[in-house]
Amino acid sequence: MSNGDVFLGEIIGTAILILFGAGVVAAVVLNYSKAKDAGWVVIAFGWGFGVLAGAYTAAPLSGGHLNPAVTLGIAIDTGDWDQVHIYIAGQLVGAVLGAVLCWLVYYAQFQANAEEDKAQPTLGIFSTAPAIRNPVANLITEIIATVGLVLPILAFGLTEGLGTSGTTVLIVAFLVVGIGLSLGGPTGYAINPARDLGPRITHALLPIPNKGTSDWGYAWIPVVGPLIGGALSGVIFNAAF
C-alpha cells in the first residue's frame, strides 16, 4: 500500500468512526435529540457500528487500522515500522474531521443546549472522562481494555477463514461493542489515542457555546494507556503465538 493510500484511507475510515461514535453520544445526551436518554447500550453499539463502517471503508486503501494502538501492536508483531507515522497522522486528521462533522450534524442541538438554564458540558460527546478520577486506576483500565482490543485483533489474523470470508472487521466491531459494555464503565473506553485526542482538540477549537473545559489534565491517560496496551499486545502476541 502506498503512503498516499494509507494516509487517505486512515483519514476517511477514522472520520467515519468518529462521526458515528461521537454522533451516537450526541444523540443520547443532547436535548432536543430524538434519541435523548437512549442509554449506554445504544452508545456501545453506535461505536461498534462506527468501527464497522470506518474499517470496511478504509480496508481497501490502508487495511483499516483507525487506531494508533492497533498500528503499534501490528508494527511490534511484524517488525515493519516504515508506515507507522503515516497511519497515525491519517488517524489524527480523520479523528479531527469526524468530530467536526458530528458538530455540524448536531449544530442545532449544540446551540439549543447553550440556551438551556443549565447548559450541559459537551466534552463527553467528543472525548472520554473517568467516572472516578484516579490517574493510576484510569491508566490501568485503559491499558487492560486496549489489550482486550488489540491482542484479539492480532490473533484474528491467525484464523484463515476470517480473512478469506471478509468477516474480520465485523468480528472486531462486535469486539468493540463488548469492550464498551464490559470495560467501558470506569473511563469511557478510549482504547484509541486518535479517537480521544483528535476530538478533544476539535472540542477546544470549535465555537460551541458554554462548552465547558476540554480537560487537558486528563488528556494524557487516553493517549498513553492505549499506546501501552497496544505495545503490550504486540509483545504478548509475539511471545505466545
Side-chain angles (χ1 to χ4, degrees):
M1 298 175 181
S2 71
N3 287 345
D5 283 348
V6 167
F7 186 62
L8 181 61
E10 292 298 296
I11 289 175
I12 294 172
T14 309
I16 292 172
L17 165 65
I18 301 301
L19 173 60
F20 277 48
V24 71
V25 180
V28 170
V29 305
L30 285 175
N31 292 327
Y32 307 107
S33 163
K34 292 181 180 293
K36 172 71 173 174
D37 295 327
W40 185 254
V41 173
V42 170
I43 289 173
F45 272 94
W47 274 105
F49 289 135
V51 170
L52 184 73
Y56 267 129
T57 303
L61 291 172
S62 66
H65 294 189
L66 315 187
N67 183 341
V70 172
T71 300
L72 179 60
I74 292 172
I76 289 174
D77 172 41
T78 63
D80 184 359
W81 295 84
D82 290 348
Q83 293 182 309
V84 167
H85 62 295
I86 305 296
Y87 274 97
I88 293 176
Q91 291 154 4
L92 284 171
V93 172
V96 169
L97 177 59
V100 172
L101 293 174
C102 171
W103 171 66
L104 291 173
V105 169
Y106 284 94
Y107 180 82
Q109 282 71 29
F110 279 113
Q111 296 301 114
N113 177 65
E115 296 166 4
E116 296 292 311
D117 291 337
K118 295 182 179 179
Q120 303 173 26
T122 56
L123 178 62
I125 294 170
F126 296 93
S127 296
T128 61
I132 298 174
R133 191 172 292 263
N134 181 318
V136 174
N138 302 152
L139 184 65
I140 291 172
T141 295
E142 285 295 328
I143 292 171
I144 293 172
T146 306
V147 171
L149 171 69
V150 179
L151 186 57
I153 287 176
L154 295 174
F156 293 160
L158 299 177
T159 305
E160 184 177 350
L162 288 178
T164 302
S165 65
T167 55
T168 303
V169 172
L170 176 62
I171 301 302
V172 172
F174 279 114
L175 174 62
V176 171
V177 173
I179 291 170
L181 295 176
S182 299
L183 306 177
T187 61
Y189 73 115
I191 58 174
N192 181 340
R195 167 264 177 276
D196 196 274
L197 181 59
R200 195 181 298 269
I201 292 170
T202 304
H203 177 267
L205 297 177
L206 283 176
I208 303 172
N210 297 326
K211 63 184 175 182
T213 177
S214 296
D215 196 8
W216 289 106
Y218 179 77
W220 67 275
I221 290 176
V223 172
V224 174
L227 289 176
I228 294 173
L232 283 175
S233 298
V235 171
I236 294 169
F237 184 77
N238 267 336
F241 297 90

